[in-house]
Amino acid sequence: MLQTEELYNILYQNMGPQHWWPADSNIEMMLGAILVQNTNWRNADLALQSLKEATDFNPKYILNMPLENLQMVIKSSGFYKNKAKAILALFSWLDQHHFDYDRIVTQYRDDLRKELLSIRGIGSETADVLIVYIFGGVEFIPDSYTRRLYAKLGYANTDSYDKFKKEIQLPSTFTNQDANEFHALLDNFGKNYFNIKNGTHYTFLDTYFESSVND
């Protein structure tokens, strides 16, 4: 069975660096992580553009927006009522820490993931994404594309995020940049491989898929 470090190396050698997350600032990145929940990136990006026009991604402006207004601005992302509440909850928490990401890491250390999960609207995947892309940590992010890929490679327990996360240990040598690239590679591979409308079909893993127990 193809191991995680080998998978990472194959993806990186064939696809190269992904330059992810697609955002120009930490604020935009965090907003995107919430807005893309349970939808595709196109819908999330539409909401991001509307939010940029309304607030220029200024967290103080966003925090001062009435909830109903924020909900209307991000409506294109779907589930906009809960997402607006999640944005305000996360930004309120960050505001309490003066948006000092290094200080947050120092304060919570190994408890950071648990603390993020206590924030309304922040689930396992979003918490892991924030740890990797905002707080410089190392986490495996088994989103839906990643679990589908691992299933084709013959891995079990890929039906849920939390269950499969327990199955995979990232190599001890992985840096934050490795965790960043691995997630980006897995996600972009999945978008191209599993979405036939995309028009791109990678073949460099096909031999591993052919020998897997999951078609």
Side-chain angles (χ1 to χ4, degrees):
M1 184 181 293
L2 191 63
Q3 299 300 306
T4 290
E5 187 168 15
E6 186 179 3
L7 174 60
Y8 171 60
N9 290 333
I10 291 172
L11 291 172
Y12 190 85
Q13 289 165 10
N14 284 274
M15 297 172 62
Q18 301 299 293
H19 307 292
W20 249 35
W21 186 281
D24 293 327
S25 68
N26 286 333
I27 297 299
E28 182 181 357
M29 183 271 141
M30 289 186 286
L31 290 169
I34 292 175
L35 293 172
V36 79
Q37 293 174 0
N38 301 306
T39 192
N40 57 51
W41 183 252
R42 179 180 178 277
N43 292 336
D45 193 47
L46 288 172
L48 274 174
Q49 295 308 310
S50 297
L51 195 52
K52 183 177 183 179
E53 292 175 5
T55 67
D56 199 29
F57 294 144
N58 186 314
K60 295 295 185 183
Y61 292 168
I62 294 172
L63 280 170
N64 288 328
M65 288 183 74
L67 176 60
E68 294 77 10
N69 291 9
L70 179 57
Q71 289 172 342
M72 290 300 101
V73 170
I74 66 169
K75 190 172 183 178
S76 65
S77 69
F79 303 96
Y80 58 92
K81 292 184 178 180
N82 287 333
K83 290 180 181 180
K85 293 175 182 177
I87 289 170
L88 293 179
L90 175 61
F91 280 24
S92 294
W93 179 79
L94 289 167
D95 191 48
Q96 293 171 15
H97 295 85
H98 309 290
F99 287 84
D100 189 333
Y101 309 116
D102 291 336
R103 182 178 176 182
I104 290 171
V105 171
T106 300
Q107 177 175 341
Y108 292 103
R109 297 185 182 276
D110 292 340
D111 292 326
L112 178 56
R113 190 174 191 270
K114 180 180 178 181
E115 180 67 18
L116 289 171
L117 290 172
S118 72
I119 301 171
R120 176 175 183 153
I122 304 300
S124 296
E125 182 175 340
T126 305
D128 290 335
V129 165
L130 293 176
I131 288 172
V132 171
Y133 291 94
I134 296 295
F135 297 109
V138 177
E139 289 286 348
F140 179 54
I141 307 172
D143 62 15
S144 58
Y145 282 130
T146 295
R147 298 197 308 276
R148 287 178 68 183
L149 172 54
Y150 270 88
K152 283 187 69 66
L153 291 170
Y155 283 80
N157 297 318
T158 58
D159 55 309
S160 77
Y161 187 100
D162 290 321
K163 184 184 295 184
F164 190 61
K165 185 176 174 66
K166 296 176 182 178
E167 298 287 325
I168 301 296
Q169 292 292 325
L170 293 179
S172 60
T173 56
F174 257 40
T175 64
N176 169 255
Q177 184 59 34
D178 290 327
N180 177 319
E181 285 288 0
F182 192 39
H183 173 238
L185 288 162
L186 289 165
D187 200 67
N188 284 330
F189 178 91
K191 288 175 182 175
N192 286 286
Y193 192 93
F194 295 114
N195 184 1
I196 59 174
K197 294 180 181 179
N198 195 290
T200 301
H201 185 83
Y202 296 128
T203 60
F204 52 83
L205 286 178
D206 281 353
T207 54
Y208 296 98
F209 294 158
E210 290 170 1
S211 62
S212 75
V213 297
N214 293 294
D215 294 325

